[in-house]
Amino acid sequence: MNTDELLDRAGNLKEALVAYASSPGFARRLSQAMSDFSGLGGGEQNQWAEAVESLLYDPDQGGREPLLDRYLRTNKNIEPDERLVYEGWRERNVIGVFRVDARKGARLSLHNLIDQMDYDSYATAGAEAISFVQRGGYVMTRLVPIGDLWTISGTMRLFGPRDLPGVQTLAASLLKRFPTLVFNNPANVEQGRRIVGEHHATFLDLFGANIVSGTGGDIIAAYRSFLNACSEASVAANPKASALVTAAEQIAPDDSFPPELAESDDVALYHHPLMGVSFLVCYGQVEAAYRTPPVDAEDPAAELLRGYVEDKTVPGYVLEDLAAKYPDTVDAAYHAALSSPGFRWELDGVALLRRHKPNFGGGKELPGVSPVPSSLIDEYRRLS
């Protein structure tokens, strides 16, 4: 297909998705998404369009799958070639705040302030639809691929060259809400892995293990000690970094911890060499269920173990580590928790985790620390 044919096709496919996301069955989710985007400013029409985009491409706050995933899963009548396009949109869509470096016909040359990559992008509605976009200005939009092209998906928020301070605030706000946006750039993935690896070494030096347990108060104190140790290590490696150091009490104030964590007598602080820090309430009781399997599904220990399996905020690797730690009793623990006598962790564990943990396996693991572009650091820190 030539460029015009690809753009026509992308426009038609997108219309079908917008109709799906704005259908009555998703009205409540759309209303919530519009409320979420109201904090980024813009008119109601922009908020509606951005909310539709978010529903299509991003999990909602409850962890429910993006509507594009649902559309692909439930619609068996999609033509194979169209399905391939939609799958490309699912895997490679890019939302960002972009500097407009050039405009020619229906094409915009864009530089993303968040992932620091360049994108030649096309408007599916043609040159007239972007005739008002100003070179040297900025746009907030989402891009999706078709063939070898990037196309503009949804609406564009427009800003002039003099709007850079507000644009940087918007980009930092977007990054704060979606920290993985920087990872469209492979260089940022590698930088994030390096940073988390350094933090992991700091954690092991500080605590002697990758997990520390105690009361909520103990763990909050331990976490702040870890943050301060990371800052000290950064300054030791680069004295200029001292200007960027923030005290742990400011990064993690008391009101940033939920009451169920702060008031619990059983919390663990876990550090993974790629994913970073996790807070695990009732970890000691769940570990006890692995060590001494529950009697049946009604046992409180079985309920806790099921909770860990079903809770999307508990990483799958935590359960994998517990299974490896208690290989002789893990199957019995799950027999009781799942009321499934035939369950075998070695055979069934991965499928169980993939069913309940959206980001488990499949190459979806990204570093738990997102590098912030130098041009956005001040605004990001201010927002924090």
Side-chain angles (χ1 to χ4, degrees), residues 226-238:
F226 167 64
L227 292 176
N228 286 331
C230 289
S231 295
E232 291 169 6
S234 295
V235 172
N238 177 15

Side-chain angles (χ1 to χ4, degrees), residues 274-293:
L274 174 63
M275 305 305 294
V277 163
S278 296
F279 293 90
L280 304 167
V281 179
C282 297
Y283 177 85
Q285 297 172 68
V286 172
E287 182 177 17
Y290 276 80
R291 185 172 55 245
T292 305

Side-chain angles (χ1 to χ4, degrees), residues 40-230:
L40 296 179
E44 184 174 343
Q45 184 59 32
N46 275 345
Q47 290 171 19
W48 181 88
E50 288 161 1
V52 168
E53 292 284 298
S54 184
L55 284 184
L56 286 171
Y57 297 112
D58 307 318
D60 70 7
Q61 291 184 352
R64 287 177 293 187
E65 65 184 340
L67 291 188
L68 176 54
D69 287 30
R70 190 179 190 278
Y71 185 73
L72 289 170
R73 179 172 55 80
T74 60
N75 190 340
K76 306 303 180 184
N77 297 321
I78 303 174
E79 294 294 329
D81 57 339
E82 295 181 352
R83 184 174 290 273
L84 285 175
V85 175
Y86 283 139
E87 289 173 349
W89 293 1
R90 178 183 62 189
E91 301 301 327
R92 297 179 58 212
N93 69 86
V94 177
I95 185 172
V97 179
F98 302 86
R99 185 184 68 235
V100 182
D101 289 338
R103 174 171 59 83
K104 183 177 182 180
R107 186 182 71 190
L108 293 174
S109 296
L110 303 175
H111 176 78
N112 192 347
L113 302 186
I114 295 175
D115 65 26
Q116 300 174 296
M117 294 184 68
D118 297 320
Y119 297 86
D120 278 340
S121 313
Y122 291 79
T124 57
E128 186 175 348
I130 59 170
S131 61
F132 47 82
V133 176
Q134 186 177 4
R135 180 181 175 183
Y138 302 88
V139 298
M140 174 181 165
T141 193
R142 189 185 299 260
L143 308 178
V144 294
I146 186 166
D148 294 329
L149 307 178
W150 288 98
T151 66
I152 296 165
S153 180
T155 189
M156 293 189 296
R157 295 196 194 192
L158 302 179
F159 306 89
R162 296 181 179 179
D163 295 328
L164 180 58
V167 165
Q168 289 175 323
T169 299
L170 179 61
S173 299
L174 200 59
L175 177 57
K176 190 165 184 61
R177 182 177 175 190
F178 301 112
T180 60
L181 291 179
V182 294
F183 294 134
N184 295 316
N185 187 334
N188 290 336
V189 176
E190 291 307 310
Q191 184 182 1
R193 287 176 175 159
R194 177 183 57 77
I195 292 171
V196 178
E198 292 171 354
H199 288 180
H200 191 66
T202 297
F203 195 98
L204 295 178
D205 287 344
L206 187 62
F207 300 115
N210 74 318
I211 187 166
V212 57
S213 300
T215 66
D218 294 336
I219 294 308
I220 290 171
Y223 179 56
R224 288 170 175 163
S225 296
F226 167 64
L227 292 176
N228 286 331
C230 289

Side-chain angles (χ1 to χ4, degrees), residues 294-303 306 336-337 339:
V295 175
D296 55 35
E298 301 302 318
D299 190 314
E303 294 181 14
R306 279 197 305 276
S339 298

